[in-house]
Amino acid sequence: MRALVVDPVPDDVLTDAAERAGFRLTSFDLPMRTVVWIDPGIVKVAAGHGAGSVVIWAAPTTATTGRMTS
């Protein structure tokens, strides 16, 4: 699992990615206390203090096995 965090400033990975894309990311550009969890087959985010997590991407699965399809 990899987590990207904005609390109170963006994680270095986010800041570096923004700079490589050509813009400067500040602590006011993203919601404070946001966490993105990146796991094999699923990505979840909780945006803001006390927010619940929401799945923003999931790999396709088969109904019978629950395993990711290729």
Side-chain angles (χ1 to χ4, degrees):
M1 176 186 73
R2 170 74 174 140
L4 301 173
V5 181
V6 180
D7 187 22
V9 297
D11 195 7
D12 288 342
V13 171
L14 294 172
T15 303
D16 291 345
E19 288 177 4
R20 289 179 186 204
F23 64 95
R24 184 181 169 105
L25 187 65
T26 70
S27 59
F28 299 108
D29 294 323
L30 299 169
M32 286 190 172
R33 302 201 180 189
T34 295
V35 182
V36 179
W37 295 276
I38 304 162
D39 294 309
I42 194 163
V43 178
K44 297 187 280 185
V45 65
H49 179 68
S53 65
V54 176
V55 175
I56 60 170
W57 179 84
T61 60
T62 62
T64 56
T65 64
R67 295 187 193 137
M68 289 185 291
T69 60
S70 51

